[in-house]
C-alpha cells in the first residue's frame, strides 16, 4: 500500500525553495540553463524556470530544455529501457551554469549518464543538480546541490512521483518495503 509523503502543496514549496537556492547559488539568473531529465525532470525544470522568472522578472534570458540520457546509460544491456525522448538544449551551454533537474536521485547512474550526454553538447562552466527527492542508496559518488526532500528508503521500497501534467494528479508516495 502506498504511503503519501508529499502533497501538491509540499511539492510546490520544495520547488519554490529550490528555485531560490539556484538563484542564490548563481548570484542571479544570468547565464543559467536549466535542463530536465525526461520524463518528470522536464516538467520540474519548466516549473523551476517559471518560479525563477516570477522571482526575478528580469530573467528573460533564462533557458530551459531537456536532456535525454537513455542511450548514455550503462545498464542498457541489463533490462528494460524506455524509448528515448527528445533532447532540447536551448543554445550553447559553453561557459554557462547548467542545472540538471530530475525527480528522484537514487543510485546516481542516471546523473552519470546525464553528465556524459551533457558533454556532447558543450562545456559548461559549472553543472549543478536539483532533485525533488533524494532517497539515498548511491552507487556512484554523486550528490545533489538542491534537494526538495531527503527521504531515506529501504532498497525494496519504491518512490512514485505523480505530476499533474503527466499523471493528472500530484503527490509523492512510497510503496513496498516490509514496514509499510
Amino acid at each position: 500500500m502506498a504511503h503519501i509523503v508529499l502533497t501538491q502543496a509540499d511539492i510546490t514549496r520544495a520547488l519554490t525553495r529550490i528555485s531560490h537556492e539556484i538563484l542564490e547559488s548563481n548570484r542571479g539568473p544570468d547565464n543559467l540553463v536549466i535542463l530536465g531529465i525526461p520524463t518528470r525532470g522536464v516538467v520540474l525544470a519548466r516549473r523551476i524556470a517559471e518560479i525563477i522568472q516570477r522571482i526575478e522578472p528580469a530573467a528573460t534570458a533564462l533557458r530551459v530544455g531537456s536532456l535525454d540520457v537513455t542511450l548514455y546509460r550503462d545498464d542498457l544491456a541489463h533490462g528494460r529501457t524506455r524509448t528515448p525522448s527528445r533532447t532540447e538544449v536551448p543554445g550553447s551551454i559553453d561557459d554557462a551554469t547548467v542545472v540538471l533537474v530530475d525527480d528522484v536521485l537514487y543510485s546516481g547512474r542516471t546523473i552519470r549518464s546525464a553528465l556524459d550526454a551533457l558533454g556532447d553538447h558543450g562545456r559548461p562552466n559549472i553543472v549543478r543538480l536539483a532533485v525533488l527527492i533524494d532517497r539515498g542508496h548511491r552507487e556512484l559518488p554523486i550528490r545533489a546541490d538542491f534537494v526538495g526532500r531527503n527521504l531515506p528508503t529501504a532498497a525494496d521500497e519504491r518512490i512514485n512521483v505523480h505530476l499533474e501534467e503527466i499523471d493528472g494528479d500530484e503527490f509523492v508516495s512510497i510503496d513496498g518495503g516490509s514496514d509499510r
Side-chain angles (χ1 to χ4, degrees):
M1 183 170 153
H3 171 71
I4 293 178
V5 291
L6 272 82
T7 64
Q8 184 173 23
D10 296 328
I11 292 169
T12 300
R13 278 190 295 275
L15 294 178
T16 300
R17 183 173 35 77
I18 287 170
S19 300
H20 279 279
E21 290 173 357
I22 289 169
L23 282 170
E24 289 172 15
S25 169
N26 197 54
R27 296 190 173 119
D30 295 339
N31 209 21
L32 193 57
V33 179
I34 301 173
L35 297 176
I37 298 171
T39 299
R40 286 165 183 78
V42 175
V43 172
L44 296 172
R46 288 182 187 138
R47 288 190 191 179
I48 288 169
E50 289 168 7
I51 294 167
I52 287 173
Q53 288 173 328
R54 281 198 306 269
I55 297 166
E56 296 271 345
T60 56
L62 184 63
R63 296 178 286 156
V64 62
S66 62
L67 183 68
D68 184 73
V69 303
T70 304
L71 299 178
Y72 294 86
R73 295 193 60 89
D74 63 1
D75 58 359
L76 285 175
H78 294 94
R80 67 169 213 217
T81 59
R82 62 178 187 76
T83 305
S85 298
R86 185 175 204 167
T87 290
E88 296 177 2
V89 177
S92 173
I93 60 168
D94 289 340
D95 298 318
T97 296
V98 173
V99 179
L100 297 173
V101 180
D102 205 3
D103 57 348
V104 178
L105 177 58
Y106 183 37
S107 67
R109 293 188 179 279
T110 297
I111 304 309
R112 189 224 29 99
S113 301
L115 293 170
D116 288 349
L118 195 61
D120 284 350
H121 294 279
R123 189 176 188 284
N125 185 47
I126 192 163
V127 179
R128 302 270 191 223
L129 175 60
V131 297
L132 180 60
I133 305 294
D134 183 345
R135 66 170 290 186
H137 302 282
R138 223 66 88 240
E139 296 172 6
L140 298 170
I142 290 176
R143 178 186 60 83
D145 300 284
F146 314 107
V147 177
R149 178 78 58 93
N150 285 296
L151 288 176
T153 60
D156 61 344
E157 291 177 314
R158 178 169 173 79
I159 301 283
N160 302 298
V161 176
H162 285 239
L163 299 175
E164 187 71 39
E165 297 89 332
I166 296 168
D167 306 296
D169 52 7
E170 186 137 6
F171 60 89
V172 176
S173 66
I174 299 178
D175 5 66
S178 54
D179 296 334
R180 302 223 187 265

